[in-house]
Amino acid sequence: MLPAFDTTRLRFRAVVRQTCSRPGVRQTVKMALDAGLAGLSWAAAFSLVRIEMPTALSTVLWIAFAMAVNIAFQHTRQHYRLMGFVEVRLLMLSMLVLFLGSVAGFVVDGYLRIGVEHPKVTLAASLLTALTWVMVRTVAVDYFRHRFLKKHPHRPTVERRKTPRGGLSTVNGLALRTLIVGAGRAGAQLCHELQSNPSLRSKVVGFVDDALEKQGVRIQGVPVLGPSRLLPILIKEARATQVILAIPSAAGSRIRELAKILHAEGVRVKTLPSMQSFLERNAWKPELRDIAIEDLLRREPIQLDLGSIEQALAGSVVLITGAGGSIGSELARQVAGFHPSRLVLLGRGENTLWAIERELRRLFPELTLEVELCDIRNAIRLQQAFEAWRPQYVFHAAAHKHVPYLERHPEEGIENNILGTLNVLKAARSIGTRRFVNVSTDKAVNPTSVLGVTKRIAEFLVLQAAEDEQDAGQYVSVRFGNVLGSRGSVIPLFHDQIRHGGPLTVTHPDMTRYFMTIPEASQLVLQAGVLGQTGKVFVLDMGEPVRIVDLAADMARLSGLTPGYDIDIQFSGIRPGEKLYEELFTDHEQHQSDVHAKVFEAHQEPMNRAVLERLLRALRQDLELPEGTRQAAILQAFMELVTTYRPSLSGLGRHSPESAPAGENSARPQRAIPPVVILRTPIPIAHLQSS
């Protein structure tokens, strides 16, 4: 048992701690402290200016005036240990009010003769009062910071050569000597976060910035060491083991340049999210993460006409088909931020629908959300869903998109991408949908695949609906290329191959593709779809094409691997239906639109209505034909519907007469198949410029 004296002492400390934690007591102590500092400041200022001590009355009057200003600015409600720039700014403002109030009193005293002191005295008193208030708070901040660090100390920093190549983790939990590239607002926020949070195990030893005016200055007490061109030297001199890129507005070309330098130095590399990673409803904040391939392809943030989009969608019922997919789910996130009266998620994948529903209910608890488990190939069920919710806006993102699969199973492409789109169009027209937006693909241009030709036919169907509806509704298509991170795309495939030790498989050394991020593509779909004129096919600005082999090499380097040494890159051959180079327009399509700077119009003439209806009936009948004959008939119909279709000879094109052995069934199509036309040249990712 503790001695009686120790027990009494512990009880006394507990009572004092409990008493001091009461808000009223803390406020009283703060007011008494500030009042005492104001009195001392008055005495010091008076004695310095007048070379004599002030009277008790003048001291009391100054304290009363100072505390009136103090209470007006609520200085005693400041949390001393967390004081920041806003609190200091208010203290400086109160100093100005003290002085101006004293000057005003001195002017009035010329008429009333109440004995207000000369402004020389009040100016000095104002300065001293505000400075002593700031000083006390600064001491409190420093005291509590040191007390926190004593309980949660930094471990000693590691030397540079102790950091493993690739910088994947700290060594034994030791703090990393950190350079921050970018001495702007993001870098300053990040530095403050690293300094105040020892659990991040990072000791900031310097900034790197190219701005001339920042050279040699100190930010958060940390010096700016030099420009980025000296990074290898600065890393060695500062013995840095970690470099953080705090330049969220930088273009992808700049990120690639810096990443190449830093990986060559063997330091751990982190970055901050780009500004575009956050929607308008989110505030940017310094969250550290590894450099991703999206950073290397980063382009300038898209400036949307948010006011017009919100005006259109707010209070409307919006339905999204394929809502569980990559594009459909991102469209749902974007649309939810514009406050529709109801958002209907329609799709046939119950697991993906469940995931996006949970996410939206968490992010937008006030949103009225409905889920329709429905296959767009089921016309009756689809009609029931449309009649139940009567959507004013429909975003049609449901489609089969896997190129090789559709080459082997063109029937599924017809049922889903063509007849399914026709079902959605009929349902939308029957209930008077105000605007219909069809999500298309760049593979619809001079198609060589079943995916491309079916999506091109879907564009024809949307154009026909726009012609039929006239002013009753607006129907448009939006065409774009690959999206980073979508299911079935090359990025997740490379991630999986790297995780299993390789090799990275690329179909062809010259294979190129256009890439966008999912949010970027979805935002432009909204912009073009909601604001574009009816009967148009809009094409998103995809920037420059990227070589897939360079993409694979960059992803390997980002994972700390050297291509050809730590992991192999193998070429597996072009798959059925694939082109080396994708195109965004045919020769006569491209026109600049007035919808957005990154949206173009692909001018198209609608198909002959009678021909389109005849061939659609033929495609329905072809689905029932036997093997071999079925594929040949489908191929013939595709080539009649889309005259620019050049079928892949390793895919559906193998059923053409030219590829068949002599003596095959003469009922197959007799039309010659021209070779694939290549219109673009590859641009290595190393030379890619942000658009």
Side-chain angles (χ1 to χ4, degrees), residues 442-471:
D442 58 353
K443 292 177 175 59
V445 181
N446 297 327
T448 62
S449 64
V450 172
L451 168 61
V453 72
T454 56
K455 295 298 283 184
R456 184 63 175 270
I457 296 170
E459 291 181 0
F460 290 152
L461 294 174
V462 175
L463 290 176
Q464 179 179 286
E467 192 178 67
D468 292 341
E469 290 298 301
Q470 297 294 331
D471 297 331

PDB file of all heavy atoms in Angstrom, residues 442-471:
ATOM      1  N   ASP A 442     -13.445   3.913 -79.252  1.00  0.00           N
ATOM      2  CA  ASP A 442     -12.655   4.248 -80.431  1.00  0.00           C
ATOM      3  C   ASP A 442     -12.496   3.045 -81.368  1.00  0.00           C
ATOM      4  O   ASP A 442     -12.121   3.196 -82.530  1.00  0.00           O
ATOM      5  CB  ASP A 442     -11.283   4.797 -80.033  1.00  0.00           C
ATOM      6  CG  ASP A 442     -10.473   3.825 -79.185  1.00  0.00           C
ATOM      7  OD1 ASP A 442     -11.006   2.778 -78.796  1.00  0.00           O
ATOM      8  OD2 ASP A 442      -9.298   4.131 -78.889  1.00  0.00           O
ATOM      9  N   LYS A 443     -12.791   1.859 -80.882  1.00  0.00           N
ATOM     10  CA  LYS A 443     -12.706   0.662 -81.724  1.00  0.00           C
ATOM     11  C   LYS A 443     -13.818   0.627 -82.769  1.00  0.00           C
ATOM     12  O   LYS A 443     -13.804  -0.224 -83.676  1.00  0.00           O
ATOM     13  CB  LYS A 443     -12.751  -0.588 -80.854  1.00  0.00           C
ATOM     14  CG  LYS A 443     -11.505  -0.769 -79.984  1.00  0.00           C
ATOM     15  CD  LYS A 443     -11.604  -1.964 -79.077  1.00  0.00           C
ATOM     16  CE  LYS A 443     -10.291  -2.191 -78.320  1.00  0.00           C
ATOM     17  NZ  LYS A 443      -9.881  -1.046 -77.499  1.00  0.00           N
ATOM     18  N   ALA A 444     -14.792   1.550 -82.655  1.00  0.00           N
ATOM     19  CA  ALA A 444     -15.851   1.653 -83.660  1.00  0.00           C
ATOM     20  C   ALA A 444     -15.374   2.345 -84.929  1.00  0.00           C
ATOM     21  O   ALA A 444     -16.086   2.356 -85.932  1.00  0.00           O
ATOM     22  CB  ALA A 444     -17.052   2.404 -83.075  1.00  0.00           C
ATOM     23  N   VAL A 445     -14.172   2.932 -84.907  1.00  0.00           N
ATOM     24  CA  VAL A 445     -13.616   3.619 -86.070  1.00  0.00           C
ATOM     25  C   VAL A 445     -12.842   2.612 -86.910  1.00  0.00           C
ATOM     26  O   VAL A 445     -11.931   1.939 -86.410  1.00  0.00           O
ATOM     27  CB  VAL A 445     -12.689   4.770 -85.628  1.00  0.00           C
ATOM     28  CG1 VAL A 445     -12.135   5.498 -86.851  1.00  0.00           C
ATOM     29  CG2 VAL A 445     -13.426   5.731 -84.720  1.00  0.00           C
ATOM     30  N   ASN A 446     -13.221   2.489 -88.209  1.00  0.00           N
ATOM     31  CA  ASN A 446     -12.575   1.508 -89.083  1.00  0.00           C
ATOM     32  C   ASN A 446     -12.392   0.178 -88.345  1.00  0.00           C
ATOM     33  O   ASN A 446     -11.270  -0.318 -88.191  1.00  0.00           O
ATOM     34  CB  ASN A 446     -11.217   2.020 -89.568  1.00  0.00           C
ATOM     35  CG  ASN A 446     -11.345   3.275 -90.411  1.00  0.00           C
ATOM     36  OD1 ASN A 446     -12.330   3.448 -91.133  1.00  0.00           O
ATOM     37  ND2 ASN A 446     -10.365   4.144 -90.332  1.00  0.00           N
ATOM     38  N   PRO A 447     -13.475  -0.414 -87.868  1.00  0.00           N
ATOM     39  CA  PRO A 447     -13.360  -1.559 -86.950  1.00  0.00           C
ATOM     40  C   PRO A 447     -12.728  -2.778 -87.611  1.00  0.00           C
ATOM     41  O   PRO A 447     -12.929  -3.055 -88.794  1.00  0.00           O
ATOM     42  CB  PRO A 447     -14.813  -1.834 -86.553  1.00  0.00           C
ATOM     43  CG  PRO A 447     -15.630  -1.270 -87.668  1.00  0.00           C
ATOM     44  CD  PRO A 447     -14.882  -0.078 -88.165  1.00  0.00           C
ATOM     45  N   THR A 448     -11.960  -3.510 -86.800  1.00  0.00           N
ATOM     46  CA  THR A 448     -11.409  -4.806 -87.213  1.00  0.00           C
ATOM     47  C   THR A 448     -11.892  -5.912 -86.282  1.00  0.00           C
ATOM     48  O   THR A 448     -11.482  -7.064 -86.445  1.00  0.00           O
ATOM     49  CB  THR A 448      -9.867  -4.773 -87.187  1.00  0.00           C
ATOM     50  OG1 THR A 448      -9.426  -4.536 -85.844  1.00  0.00           O
ATOM     51  CG2 THR A 448      -9.327  -3.701 -88.104  1.00  0.00           C
ATOM     52  N   SER A 449     -12.703  -5.569 -85.303  1.00  0.00           N
ATOM     53  CA  SER A 449     -13.161  -6.534 -84.302  1.00  0.00           C
ATOM     54  C   SER A 449     -14.679  -6.544 -84.230  1.00  0.00           C
ATOM     55  O   SER A 449     -15.357  -5.592 -84.646  1.00  0.00           O
ATOM     56  CB  SER A 449     -12.593  -6.177 -82.925  1.00  0.00           C
ATOM     57  OG  SER A 449     -13.091  -4.917 -82.507  1.00  0.00           O
ATOM     58  N   VAL A 450     -15.211  -7.613 -83.654  1.00  0.00           N
ATOM     59  CA  VAL A 450     -16.653  -7.698 -83.422  1.00  0.00           C
ATOM     60  C   VAL A 450     -17.080  -6.607 -82.445  1.00  0.00           C
ATOM     61  O   VAL A 450     -18.149  -6.002 -82.604  1.00  0.00           O
ATOM     62  CB  VAL A 450     -17.026  -9.098 -82.896  1.00  0.00           C
ATOM     63  CG1 VAL A 450     -18.484  -9.148 -82.460  1.00  0.00           C
ATOM     64  CG2 VAL A 450     -16.751 -10.146 -83.961  1.00  0.00           C
ATOM     65  N   LEU A 451     -16.247  -6.345 -81.439  1.00  0.00           N
ATOM     66  CA  LEU A 451     -16.570  -5.264 -80.508  1.00  0.00           C
ATOM     67  C   LEU A 451     -16.738  -3.945 -81.262  1.00  0.00           C
ATOM     68  O   LEU A 451     -17.728  -3.228 -81.088  1.00  0.00           O
ATOM     69  CB  LEU A 451     -15.464  -5.120 -79.450  1.00  0.00           C
ATOM     70  CG  LEU A 451     -15.539  -3.854 -78.585  1.00  0.00           C
ATOM     71  CD1 LEU A 451     -16.844  -3.812 -77.804  1.00  0.00           C
ATOM     72  CD2 LEU A 451     -14.349  -3.763 -77.650  1.00  0.00           C
ATOM     73  N   GLY A 452     -15.766  -3.606 -82.103  1.00  0.00           N
ATOM     74  CA  GLY A 452     -15.827  -2.341 -82.813  1.00  0.00           C
ATOM     75  C   GLY A 452     -17.016  -2.229 -83.734  1.00  0.00           C
ATOM     76  O   GLY A 452     -17.713  -1.200 -83.759  1.00  0.00           O
ATOM     77  N   VAL A 453     -17.305  -3.296 -84.482  1.00  0.00           N
ATOM     78  CA  VAL A 453     -18.402  -3.208 -85.442  1.00  0.00           C
ATOM     79  C   VAL A 453     -19.758  -3.176 -84.737  1.00  0.00           C
ATOM     80  O   VAL A 453     -20.685  -2.481 -85.163  1.00  0.00           O
ATOM     81  CB  VAL A 453     -18.315  -4.362 -86.469  1.00  0.00           C
ATOM     82  CG1 VAL A 453     -18.671  -5.700 -85.860  1.00  0.00           C
ATOM     83  CG2 VAL A 453     -19.199  -4.068 -87.677  1.00  0.00           C
ATOM     84  N   THR A 454     -19.900  -3.923 -83.638  1.00  0.00           N
ATOM     85  CA  THR A 454     -21.178  -3.886 -82.912  1.00  0.00           C
ATOM     86  C   THR A 454     -21.412  -2.531 -82.256  1.00  0.00           C
ATOM     87  O   THR A 454     -22.542  -2.041 -82.211  1.00  0.00           O
ATOM     88  CB  THR A 454     -21.239  -4.998 -81.854  1.00  0.00           C
ATOM     89  OG1 THR A 454     -20.110  -4.892 -80.970  1.00  0.00           O
ATOM     90  CG2 THR A 454     -21.248  -6.375 -82.501  1.00  0.00           C
ATOM     91  N   LYS A 455     -20.345  -1.911 -81.758  1.00  0.00           N
ATOM     92  CA  LYS A 455     -20.504  -0.581 -81.158  1.00  0.00           C
ATOM     93  C   LYS A 455     -20.779   0.464 -82.238  1.00  0.00           C
ATOM     94  O   LYS A 455     -21.494   1.442 -81.997  1.00  0.00           O
ATOM     95  CB  LYS A 455     -19.262  -0.208 -80.353  1.00  0.00           C
ATOM     96  CG  LYS A 455     -19.019  -1.094 -79.133  1.00  0.00           C
ATOM     97  CD  LYS A 455     -20.152  -1.013 -78.124  1.00  0.00           C
ATOM     98  CE  LYS A 455     -20.103   0.246 -77.305  1.00  0.00           C
ATOM     99  NZ  LYS A 455     -21.143   0.277 -76.250  1.00  0.00           N
ATOM    100  N   ARG A 456     -20.227   0.280 -83.444  1.00  0.00           N
ATOM    101  CA  ARG A 456     -20.529   1.215 -84.532  1.00  0.00           C
ATOM    102  C   ARG A 456     -21.997   1.094 -84.944  1.00  0.00           C
ATOM    103  O   ARG A 456     -22.675   2.103 -85.200  1.00  0.00           O
ATOM    104  CB  ARG A 456     -19.621   0.925 -85.722  1.00  0.00           C
ATOM    105  CG  ARG A 456     -19.775   1.913 -86.881  1.00  0.00           C
ATOM    106  CD  ARG A 456     -19.375   3.324 -86.461  1.00  0.00           C
ATOM    107  NE  ARG A 456     -19.417   4.237 -87.582  1.00  0.00           N
ATOM    108  CZ  ARG A 456     -18.392   4.487 -88.387  1.00  0.00           C
ATOM    109  NH1 ARG A 456     -17.235   3.856 -88.182  1.00  0.00           N
ATOM    110  NH2 ARG A 456     -18.502   5.345 -89.378  1.00  0.00           N
ATOM    111  N   ILE A 457     -22.502  -0.120 -84.987  1.00  0.00           N
ATOM    112  CA  ILE A 457     -23.920  -0.312 -85.297  1.00  0.00           C
ATOM    113  C   ILE A 457     -24.788   0.298 -84.203  1.00  0.00           C
ATOM    114  O   ILE A 457     -25.839   0.893 -84.479  1.00  0.00           O
ATOM    115  CB  ILE A 457     -24.223  -1.809 -85.485  1.00  0.00           C
ATOM    116  CG1 ILE A 457     -23.460  -2.343 -86.709  1.00  0.00           C
ATOM    117  CG2 ILE A 457     -25.715  -2.054 -85.638  1.00  0.00           C
ATOM    118  CD1 ILE A 457     -23.485  -3.853 -86.843  1.00  0.00           C
ATOM    119  N   ALA A 458     -24.347   0.178 -82.947  1.00  0.00           N
ATOM    120  CA  ALA A 458     -25.092   0.808 -81.843  1.00  0.00           C
ATOM    121  C   ALA A 458     -25.135   2.322 -82.026  1.00  0.00           C
ATOM    122  O   ALA A 458     -26.156   2.963 -81.734  1.00  0.00           O
ATOM    123  CB  ALA A 458     -24.447   0.441 -80.511  1.00  0.00           C
ATOM    124  N   GLU A 459     -24.046   2.916 -82.526  1.00  0.00           N
ATOM    125  CA  GLU A 459     -24.056   4.353 -82.820  1.00  0.00           C
ATOM    126  C   GLU A 459     -25.099   4.677 -83.884  1.00  0.00           C
ATOM    127  O   GLU A 459     -25.804   5.690 -83.791  1.00  0.00           O
ATOM    128  CB  GLU A 459     -22.675   4.801 -83.284  1.00  0.00           C
ATOM    129  CG  GLU A 459     -21.604   4.779 -82.207  1.00  0.00           C
ATOM    130  CD  GLU A 459     -20.250   5.248 -82.715  1.00  0.00           C
ATOM    131  OE1 GLU A 459     -20.146   5.594 -83.913  1.00  0.00           O
ATOM    132  OE2 GLU A 459     -19.297   5.272 -81.914  1.00  0.00           O
ATOM    133  N   PHE A 460     -25.204   3.814 -84.920  1.00  0.00           N
ATOM    134  CA  PHE A 460     -26.218   4.027 -85.952  1.00  0.00           C
ATOM    135  C   PHE A 460     -27.619   4.009 -85.346  1.00  0.00           C
ATOM    136  O   PHE A 460     -28.486   4.811 -85.721  1.00  0.00           O
ATOM    137  CB  PHE A 460     -26.110   2.939 -87.034  1.00  0.00           C
ATOM    138  CG  PHE A 460     -24.884   3.041 -87.893  1.00  0.00           C
ATOM    139  CD1 PHE A 460     -24.340   1.898 -88.473  1.00  0.00           C
ATOM    140  CD2 PHE A 460     -24.281   4.261 -88.133  1.00  0.00           C
ATOM    141  CE1 PHE A 460     -23.210   1.980 -89.263  1.00  0.00           C
ATOM    142  CE2 PHE A 460     -23.144   4.348 -88.928  1.00  0.00           C
ATOM    143  CZ  PHE A 460     -22.610   3.209 -89.496  1.00  0.00           C
ATOM    144  N   LEU A 461     -27.862   3.076 -84.422  1.00  0.00           N
ATOM    145  CA  LEU A 461     -29.180   2.977 -83.794  1.00  0.00           C
ATOM    146  C   LEU A 461     -29.520   4.234 -82.996  1.00  0.00           C
ATOM    147  O   LEU A 461     -30.671   4.695 -83.005  1.00  0.00           O
ATOM    148  CB  LEU A 461     -29.227   1.747 -82.880  1.00  0.00           C
ATOM    149  CG  LEU A 461     -29.119   0.380 -83.571  1.00  0.00           C
ATOM    150  CD1 LEU A 461     -29.033  -0.731 -82.533  1.00  0.00           C
ATOM    151  CD2 LEU A 461     -30.313   0.151 -84.505  1.00  0.00           C
ATOM    152  N   VAL A 462     -28.517   4.783 -82.304  1.00  0.00           N
ATOM    153  CA  VAL A 462     -28.750   6.013 -81.535  1.00  0.00           C
ATOM    154  C   VAL A 462     -29.034   7.184 -82.471  1.00  0.00           C
ATOM    155  O   VAL A 462     -29.917   8.013 -82.207  1.00  0.00           O
ATOM    156  CB  VAL A 462     -27.539   6.309 -80.623  1.00  0.00           C
ATOM    157  CG1 VAL A 462     -27.717   7.643 -79.905  1.00  0.00           C
ATOM    158  CG2 VAL A 462     -27.362   5.190 -79.600  1.00  0.00           C
ATOM    159  N   LEU A 463     -28.304   7.274 -83.586  1.00  0.00           N
ATOM    160  CA  LEU A 463     -28.555   8.338 -84.565  1.00  0.00           C
ATOM    161  C   LEU A 463     -29.958   8.222 -85.151  1.00  0.00           C
ATOM    162  O   LEU A 463     -30.647   9.233 -85.361  1.00  0.00           O
ATOM    163  CB  LEU A 463     -27.517   8.269 -85.679  1.00  0.00           C
ATOM    164  CG  LEU A 463     -26.086   8.660 -85.317  1.00  0.00           C
ATOM    165  CD1 LEU A 463     -25.153   8.448 -86.507  1.00  0.00           C
ATOM    166  CD2 LEU A 463     -26.024  10.117 -84.864  1.00  0.00           C
ATOM    167  N   GLN A 464     -30.395   6.989 -85.399  1.00  0.00           N
ATOM    168  CA  GLN A 464     -31.745   6.792 -85.923  1.00  0.00           C
ATOM    169  C   GLN A 464     -32.795   7.217 -84.901  1.00  0.00           C
ATOM    170  O   GLN A 464     -33.799   7.849 -85.248  1.00  0.00           O
ATOM    171  CB  GLN A 464     -31.946   5.324 -86.299  1.00  0.00           C
ATOM    172  CG  GLN A 464     -33.337   5.010 -86.848  1.00  0.00           C
ATOM    173  CD  GLN A 464     -33.481   3.551 -87.218  1.00  0.00           C
ATOM    174  OE1 GLN A 464     -32.951   3.110 -88.218  1.00  0.00           O
ATOM    175  NE2 GLN A 464     -34.195   2.792 -86.383  1.00  0.00           N
ATOM    176  N   ALA A 465     -32.578   6.888 -83.618  1.00  0.00           N
ATOM    177  CA  ALA A 465     -33.517   7.308 -82.575  1.00  0.00           C
ATOM    178  C   ALA A 465     -33.579   8.825 -82.480  1.00  0.00           C
ATOM    179  O   ALA A 465     -34.659   9.403 -82.292  1.00  0.00           O
ATOM    180  CB  ALA A 465     -33.103   6.707 -81.231  1.00  0.00           C
ATOM    181  N   ALA A 466     -32.425   9.503 -82.610  1.00  0.00           N
ATOM    182  CA  ALA A 466     -32.397  10.961 -82.571  1.00  0.00           C
ATOM    183  C   ALA A 466     -33.200  11.545 -83.726  1.00  0.00           C
ATOM    184  O   ALA A 466     -33.916  12.550 -83.570  1.00  0.00           O
ATOM    185  CB  ALA A 466     -30.958  11.464 -82.622  1.00  0.00           C
ATOM    186  N   GLU A 467     -33.112  10.912 -84.900  1.00  0.00           N
ATOM    187  CA  GLU A 467     -33.853  11.374 -86.066  1.00  0.00           C
ATOM    188  C   GLU A 467     -35.349  11.178 -85.875  1.00  0.00           C
ATOM    189  O   GLU A 467     -36.166  12.023 -86.259  1.00  0.00           O
ATOM    190  CB  GLU A 467     -33.365  10.606 -87.297  1.00  0.00           C
ATOM    191  CG  GLU A 467     -33.824  11.173 -88.615  1.00  0.00           C
ATOM    192  CD  GLU A 467     -33.249  10.386 -89.778  1.00  0.00           C
ATOM    193  OE1 GLU A 467     -33.623   9.194 -89.947  1.00  0.00           O
ATOM    194  OE2 GLU A 467     -32.401  10.932 -90.499  1.00  0.00           O
ATOM    195  N   ASP A 468     -35.736  10.067 -85.246  1.00  0.00           N
ATOM    196  CA  ASP A 468     -37.157   9.785 -85.021  1.00  0.00           C
ATOM    197  C   ASP A 468     -37.766  10.697 -83.964  1.00  0.00           C
ATOM    198  O   ASP A 468     -38.912  11.141 -84.097  1.00  0.00           O
ATOM    199  CB  ASP A 468     -37.335   8.326 -84.589  1.00  0.00           C
ATOM    200  CG  ASP A 468     -37.019   7.354 -85.715  1.00  0.00           C
ATOM    201  OD1 ASP A 468     -37.026   7.781 -86.880  1.00  0.00           O
ATOM    202  OD2 ASP A 468     -36.742   6.173 -85.410  1.00  0.00           O
ATOM    203  N   GLU A 469     -37.001  10.971 -82.906  1.00  0.00           N
ATOM    204  CA  GLU A 469     -37.547  11.729 -81.782  1.00  0.00           C
ATOM    205  C   GLU A 469     -37.604  13.229 -82.049  1.00  0.00           C
ATOM    206  O   GLU A 469     -38.421  13.932 -81.472  1.00  0.00           O
ATOM    207  CB  GLU A 469     -36.709  11.461 -80.528  1.00  0.00           C
ATOM    208  CG  GLU A 469     -36.864  10.064 -79.969  1.00  0.00           C
ATOM    209  CD  GLU A 469     -38.290   9.786 -79.529  1.00  0.00           C
ATOM    210  OE1 GLU A 469     -38.808  10.507 -78.656  1.00  0.00           O
ATOM    211  OE2 GLU A 469     -38.898   8.845 -80.082  1.00  0.00           O
ATOM    212  N   GLN A 470     -36.678  13.736 -82.869  1.00  0.00           N
ATOM    213  CA  GLN A 470     -36.598  15.169 -83.152  1.00  0.00           C
ATOM    214  C   GLN A 470     -36.495  15.953 -81.855  1.00  0.00           C
ATOM    215  O   GLN A 470     -35.543  15.814 -81.111  1.00  0.00           O
ATOM    216  CB  GLN A 470     -37.800  15.602 -83.994  1.00  0.00           C
ATOM    217  CG  GLN A 470     -37.866  14.956 -85.363  1.00  0.00           C
ATOM    218  CD  GLN A 470     -36.724  15.372 -86.272  1.00  0.00           C
ATOM    219  OE1 GLN A 470     -36.191  16.472 -86.142  1.00  0.00           O
ATOM    220  NE2 GLN A 470     -36.339  14.482 -87.160  1.00  0.00           N
ATOM    221  N   ASP A 471     -37.498  16.766 -81.517  1.00  0.00           N
ATOM    222  CA  ASP A 471     -37.446  17.607 -80.312  1.00  0.00           C
ATOM    223  C   ASP A 471     -37.962  16.891 -79.069  1.00  0.00           C
ATOM    224  O   ASP A 471     -37.888  17.437 -77.959  1.00  0.00           O
ATOM    225  CB  ASP A 471     -38.260  18.886 -80.530  1.00  0.00           C
ATOM    226  CG  ASP A 471     -37.680  19.739 -81.653  1.00  0.00           C
ATOM    227  OD1 ASP A 471     -36.456  19.660 -81.861  1.00  0.00           O
ATOM    228  OD2 ASP A 471     -38.450  20.460 -82.316  1.00  0.00           O
TER     229      ASP A 471
END
